[in-house]
Amino acid sequence: MSATPFAEPRHFGLSKSKLTTFEQCPRRLWQQVHAPERAQVNEAQKTRMAIGHAVGDIACALHPDGVMVEADEGLGAAVATTRRLIAQGHPGPIFEATFEHDGVLVRTDILSRDGNDGWQMAEVKSSGGMKEYYLGDLATQVWVLDKAGIKLTGAAIRHLNTSFVLEREGDFEGLFADTDCLDLIAESVKGREQVVTQARTMLAGDEPGIAPGAQCDKPFTCEFKNWCHLDLPPGPEWPVELLPRNGGVKWRERGFDNLLDLDSGALSPLHARVLEATRSGVPFHDVDGARAIMSQWGWPRAWLDFETINPAIPRWVGTSPFAQTPFQFSLHLEQRDGAITHHEFLDTSGDDPRRACAEALVTMIPEGATVVAYYASFEQRVLRELAQMFPDLALRLNAMANGVQDLLPVARACWYHRDQRGSWSIKDVLPTIVPLDYGALQVQNGGMAQDAWVEATASRIDPQRKWVLEEGLRAYCRQDTWAMVLVARHLAGETVP
Ligand code: SF4
């Protein structure tokens, strides 16, 4: 699509987010302005925005003397309101203070007086620390505020303080920490004018011919990715990127795009196995190696998988931002003679699930059993955190954590089917062994499990809907541990049902 010719580039109104978009990829900004219908906003982007709003609300609520600049009557009115509040000497922080310079409009999350005649601004973020990609946004704000005559003595990224522990329900004093970046962005502020000119010139022209690349996923996946990738010529069926652990990068840099063009003698043993299994179509399978490793594991075996939630805003007393909180586990308990029983725990009450989860673990997993997980460091961490929290159960929980065995490295060392396409995720390995996949399930991955749990714990949920969500969660988690049993049996050369 070609752009309408614009006689005057300066007519393009810009904002801090538009300039940040331009700096990620000019073509992205061009499409946002001229072809927004091409965008595909995914669920992760919507969730991120919802979390951002919730965190922003708390940041404002911590300043009861603050005043919000509404934009219901347009941004011009918001600029006028901001100007009036400042002129009248409003003592409290101003939320969404709105300024304009040279057609660039910014709304500053929190603008506070510094106690003298200056101001300090804070950009609220729902992350646990400062990120490099926040700085462009901040620089645009500082530039506009400076041009609007605001004397800034501080410009901070106000992020979540990961050391914060919620001690009383609803008391979020101390939830945030500031990283002041005013000095850090000084050079970037000086360059804003040039960025604005470049963005306007670009917007006045045809769509930039920028090819998709690393910028499409940094810092987040671009909403035009599907559209832009339509332009790309079809690649090889087995690209070099299938080599695990970013093994394809150096080959791509050397001009290779097809995995089948590589020489296995030039590859690491793992990469050579991937190449040979791909080239021949015959899976790599080291039965003796798998048996040797797993024969060291004790009985009974407790095949265990947790589902957790890690809310940015602490939900229960005693938790911190992003604390991994288990709300569900599935357990297949396998005896030496092959007998298997299934056990599970799921708490959708919305109350803190950790005590009930810890008690269920010590009740359902017999003393001395060997816990086996897939990517076991995660289960190990959850067990240790529960042990730390509940000293009366710590002996049993720590014993489980200390003895955890991991099926993932066994699978990686002893099995590869080319349909895994370079991944040893249990969801990619399972369908190469048995005709079972996750596509038929209501809940198909950890992110969907978290979303289902959040919905199921909502206070006004319809009971029928809650039951459906619970069944979906149970089926998903049960499949994860049953998949481990099947994969382990297959690795050891046993017949899998
Ligand atoms: S998909 Fe990539 S190339 Fe296309 S607009 Fe987005 S960042 Fe730019």
Side-chain angles (χ1 to χ4, degrees):
M1 174 179 168
S2 65
T4 311
F6 295 94
E8 177 49 80
R10 285 170 60 82
H11 285 168
F12 287 104
L14 293 170
S15 64
K16 59 182 183 182
S17 59
K18 280 186 174 148
L19 290 174
T20 300
T21 298
F22 172 72
E23 289 187 299
Q24 179 191 355
C25 174
R27 189 180 178 189
R28 184 176 171 211
L29 177 60
W30 192 96
Q31 294 186 90
Q32 282 185 358
V33 172
H34 297 302
E37 69 284 357
R38 296 177 185 171
Q40 281 186 359
V41 179
N42 61 34
E43 288 306 313
Q45 286 165 308
K46 288 184 198 161
T47 304
R48 221 169 28 243
M49 280 161 63
I51 293 170
H53 286 138
V55 168
D57 288 348
I58 292 178
C60 290
L62 287 170
H63 300 281
D65 51 344
V67 59
M68 174 66 74
V69 175
E70 304 291 353
D72 303 348
E73 291 174 22
L75 291 166
V79 172
T81 304
T82 304
R83 205 179 294 135
R84 179 175 51 76
L85 287 167
I86 290 172
Q88 289 172 348
H90 189 281
I94 304 173
F95 308 136
E96 301 293 341
T98 309
F99 300 92
E100 188 268 348
H101 171 68
D102 190 23
V104 181
L105 214 129
V106 298
R107 281 167 69 76
T108 296
D109 288 344
I110 301 178
L111 184 67
S112 313
R113 293 187 186 274
D114 70 356
N116 297 309
D117 61 345
W119 295 85
Q120 299 201 326
M121 57 158 291
E123 171 82 357
V124 179
K125 297 291 182 189
S126 56
S127 65
M130 225 286 290
K131 305 261 192 309
E132 180 103 23
Y133 60 82
Y134 296 156
L135 296 178
D137 207 87
L138 200 64
T140 302
Q141 294 182 67
V142 169
W143 177 67
V144 171
L145 266 66
D146 179 58
K147 296 293 182 188
I150 300 297
K151 184 182 159 198
L152 280 176
T153 54
I157 294 297
R158 183 160 296 171
H159 51 80
L160 294 167
N161 169 14
T162 51
S163 319
F164 171 82
V165 179
L166 185 67
E167 287 176 357
R168 271 184 307 138
E169 221 166 288
D171 182 359
F172 293 109
E173 195 66 49
L175 177 62
F176 294 94
D178 281 2
T179 300
D180 192 84
C181 304
L182 195 54
D183 292 340
L184 194 63
I185 60 177
E187 282 306 307
S188 178
V189 173
K190 284 184 204 159
R192 288 294 100 182
E193 199 154 341
Q194 196 183 359
V195 174
V196 168
T197 305
Q198 288 169 346
R200 288 209 171 105
T201 304
M202 183 279 299
L203 284 171
D206 288 345
E207 181 171 357
I210 296 171
Q215 81 277 12
C216 305
D217 293 295
K218 279 186 187 165
F220 301 110
T221 299
C222 173
E223 68 273 33
F224 298 106
K225 196 170 172 185
N226 286 351
W227 176 272
C228 291
H229 279 69
L230 290 175
D231 295 348
L232 293 179
E237 184 182 6
W238 308 104
V240 290
E241 280 72 19
L242 294 181
L243 291 175
R245 297 173 176 156
N246 287 326
V249 174
K250 76 174 180 188
W251 295 107
R252 178 71 65 175
E253 285 168 1
R254 290 178 195 177
F256 290 89
D257 64 346
N258 191 342
L259 176 63
L260 302 185
D261 290 340
L262 302 186
D263 173 1
S264 59
L267 301 176
S268 69
L270 178 67
H271 288 175
R273 285 204 297 272
V274 169
L275 172 57
E276 288 311 317
T278 305
R279 184 172 278 148
S280 66
V282 178
F284 168 81
H285 193 180
D286 178 2
V287 174
D288 292 340
R291 281 184 186 156
I293 299 170
M294 292 191 289
S295 68
Q296 306 295 314
W297 300 352
W299 297 96
R301 291 176 184 170
W303 303 87
L304 180 67
D305 181 64
F306 286 116
E307 297 305 324
T308 62
I309 188 90
N310 57 339
I313 303 167
R315 183 167 171 156
W316 301 283
V317 169
T319 59
S320 298
F322 310 109
Q324 291 285 1
T325 306
F327 61 81
Q328 178 180 18
F329 68 77
S330 170
L331 167 70
H332 275 94
L333 192 62
E334 183 182 22
Q335 307 297 330
R336 187 187 287 271
D337 64 5
I340 291 191
T341 50
H342 181 249
H343 311 263
E344 63 188 357
F345 166 82
L346 173 63
D347 185 340
T348 56
S349 66
D351 297 333
D352 186 345
R354 290 171 299 174
R355 178 72 201 185
C357 178
E359 287 178 358
L361 284 164
V362 299
T363 305
M364 295 178 191
I365 298 180
E367 213 162 345
T370 297
V371 171
V372 190
Y374 206 87
Y375 187 61
S377 58
F378 180 75
E379 269 67 25
Q380 205 164 32
R381 195 172 115 205
V382 172
L383 288 166
R384 290 211 166 109
E385 284 175 0
L386 289 173
Q388 200 173 2
M389 187 161 306
F390 304 115
D392 57 321
L393 305 176
L395 203 62
R396 292 284 312 284
L397 293 168
N398 276 327
M400 291 177 204
N402 294 339
V404 165
Q405 299 295 340
D406 196 345
L407 184 61
L408 170 59
V410 188
R412 193 181 281 127
C414 303
W415 173 256
Y416 184 73
H417 186 296
R418 66 182 183 181
D419 289 351
Q420 290 170 228
R421 298 190 70 79
S423 161
W424 277 269
S425 147
I426 192 101
K427 293 167 181 63
D428 292 315
V429 172
L430 184 66
T432 68
I433 291 171
V434 287
L436 250 185
D437 68 28
Y438 288 75
L441 298 177
Q442 181 196 344
V443 175
Q444 297 169 10
N445 56 50
M448 289 172 81
Q450 291 185 339
D451 290 345
W453 181 84
V454 168
E455 188 184 342
T457 55
S459 53
R460 291 194 184 158
I461 184 155
D462 170 69
Q464 180 64 22
R465 173 70 184 153
K466 182 165 182 147
W467 181 84
V468 168
L469 290 165
E470 288 174 342
E471 286 304 295
L473 283 164
R474 287 196 177 96
Y476 166 66
C477 203
R478 184 169 57 240
Q479 177 142 313
D480 264 351
T481 50
W482 182 234
M484 279 194 268
V485 174
L486 296 181
V487 168
R489 287 184 174 180
H490 176 77
L491 291 178
E494 296 172 25
T495 307
V496 171

